[in-house]
Amino acid sequence: MRPRWTGLAALATGIGIGLTGCGQPPPPAEQVSSGGHAESASQGDPAAKWADGYCGAVTHLVRALANLPSIDPSSSAQATRTSSDLLASVATGIDQTISGLHRVGPAPLPGGEPARTALLGQFTSVRQQADEVRGKLDAAADPNAVKAALDDAKSAIDQISRLDVLKGLDATPALSAAGKRAAGCQQLVVPPAPR
């Protein structure tokens, strides 16, 4: 499975451009909805239900990234404030995703629990980085501190956009098959490019 992070990478690039004062991020092409609507379809399939919950939890962050507030590069103060707002929005999406991953519970298949635990660790680390960068942005007073904080903000968003959140579902053939049966996961997958 390949998550639909290509659009998020483009979004992060747009954010980077906004952070350097050259423009603002483009509007997102599409939004991903929660995977919870497929629960009745996967009721008799515990593995697909778990995978759907796993992917449904991830959609909180995807939605947060798709609806990020714009960076206002009109002044250092505006760029700093709007970058802090952007990171607060990302942090909220990460918090919702972490809560969702905790609610999913243990995987009914081998390999699922290490995948969930690894993803929780990644999100916790990125969340901590976002908080640190927001602290720097909020405390930045002189132009050099503002520039450094804005560079750190771009780096944090780039790191988030590089997360391969569905990698864990590809860890074993059984998990991969469960993900293919889960509607919430299919919404996060990019179809293979034609050759």
Side-chain angles (χ1 to χ4, degrees):
M1 285 185 206
R2 298 292 308 165
R4 203 173 273 164
W5 291 109
T6 52
L8 299 179
L11 179 63
T13 301
I15 290 166
I17 291 169
L19 290 175
T20 59
C22 299
Q24 294 181 3
E30 61 182 274
Q31 296 181 16
V32 178
S33 62
S34 173
H37 63 79
E39 189 170 326
S40 60
S42 59
Q43 211 53 352
D45 185 348
K49 183 178 179 184
W50 183 87
D52 194 59
Y54 178 99
C55 293
V58 170
T59 62
H60 293 294
L61 179 59
V62 173
R63 278 188 301 228
L65 291 173
N67 294 302
L68 287 175
S70 296
I71 302 295
D72 180 355
S74 63
S75 70
S76 290
Q78 282 296 95
T80 301
R81 184 187 61 76
T82 55
S83 295
S84 181
D85 292 347
L86 181 145
L87 288 171
S89 181
V90 169
T92 299
I94 290 173
D95 289 344
Q96 291 173 339
T97 294
I98 289 171
S99 293
L101 288 172
H102 283 298
R103 280 192 307 271
V104 167
L109 295 171
E113 197 52 28
R116 186 177 74 103
T117 302
L119 189 58
L120 281 166
Q122 287 178 320
F123 279 132
T124 300
S125 172
V126 170
R127 172 66 162 91
Q128 183 178 9
Q129 182 185 4
D131 283 343
E132 289 171 7
V133 171
R134 281 186 65 217
K136 289 180 186 177
L137 284 167
D138 294 342
D142 66 82
N144 289 335
V146 169
K147 183 183 180 329
L150 290 174
D151 288 344
D152 288 346
K154 180 189 179 306
S155 175
I157 295 297
D158 287 345
Q159 182 181 350
I160 291 165
S161 72
R162 285 192 300 266
L163 289 174
D164 186 356
V165 296
L166 296 183
K167 181 179 180 182
L169 289 181
D170 287 334
T172 67
L175 279 173
S176 180
K180 289 175 183 169
R181 294 189 308 270
C185 296
Q186 294 310 303
Q187 293 175 350
L188 295 172
V189 176
V190 172
R195 295 182 181 220

